[in-house]
Amino acid sequence: MKIAIGSDHGGYRLKEEIKSMLVELGHEVEDFGCHSCQSVDYPDYASPVAQKVAEGEFERGILICGTGIGMSITANKIKGIRCALVHDTFSARMTRLHNDSNVLAMGERVIGPGLAKEIVKVWLETEFEGGRHARRVEKITALEETRG
Ligand code: RB5
């Protein structure tokens, strides 16, 4: 799978670990930064990842900051993005089954790397269920046209 990944300084270390795992699993990964623990602004890294996923250049995006909150808020400003902030494997599975999320956000200061890796695996492996959930996702998409 083609995956775009990004973090701020608060998520840098976990991003590096997740990136290595994804490469080991055979995914094609592009890293949109940041590239150190030096303080940066998370919207500058969430935005390009979300844009590339929205444009269809990447199937999925993964964003990591201290809490995952800033990344998810930013990514969800981009038309076509359904970013889920997830810190447990149940939600990782459900947000694929029911929300067809295309970007995953996590917080390095919230969970450890072991759980984060399991979340990423479950999120990548789970297919969207469609059916009644497709109708609901369409209603989310329709809201993008009503934004002022
Ligand atoms: C950076 O200190 C921190 O605010 C950021 O990583 C993130 O948690 C924001 O939501």
Side-chain angles (χ1 to χ4, degrees):
M1 195 180 288
K2 272 191 87 176
I3 301 167
I5 194 165
S7 76
D8 72 353
H9 55 289
Y12 170 71
R13 289 189 188 87
L14 181 57
K15 170 174 69 71
E16 293 302 302
E17 289 210 38
I18 298 292
K19 192 171 67 178
S20 300
M21 181 194 75
L22 291 172
V23 170
E24 273 172 33
L25 290 173
H27 295 288
E28 196 182 322
V29 186
E30 189 166 332
D31 185 352
F32 288 82
C34 65
H35 301 292
S36 76
C37 290
Q38 193 180 329
S39 182
V40 293
D41 299 335
Y42 57 81
D44 297 339
Y45 299 88
S47 169
V49 167
Q51 296 275 5
K52 294 287 182 185
V53 172
E55 287 163 11
E57 201 173 311
F58 293 84
E59 281 176 72
R60 305 276 187 88
I62 297 174
L63 291 168
I64 305 165
C65 62
T67 59
I69 297 170
M71 287 299 199
S72 59
I73 290 172
T74 308
N76 279 317
K77 296 286 181 194
I78 307 298
K79 195 173 172 178
I81 292 303
R82 290 177 301 282
C83 177
L85 173 58
V86 171
H87 290 125
D88 65 274
T89 53
F90 176 76
S91 301
R93 184 164 169 272
M94 294 311 288
T95 192
R96 285 292 309 136
L97 286 172
H98 288 190
N99 315 121
D100 197 18
S101 55
N102 48 13
V103 176
L104 172 71
M106 296 183 292
E108 182 185 310
R109 296 170 185 160
V110 182
I111 50 171
L115 176 55
K117 286 177 187 172
E118 287 307 306
I119 287 169
V120 169
K121 282 188 205 165
V122 168
W123 185 73
L124 290 174
E125 285 164 6
T126 307
E127 293 296 327
F128 179 46
E129 208 171 270
R132 67 187 185 282
H133 302 294
R135 184 180 68 241
R136 293 161 187 171
V137 169
E138 281 163 20
K139 289 186 178 185
I140 296 172
T141 305
L143 285 171
E144 293 175 338
E145 304 308 324
T146 64
R147 276 187 183 160

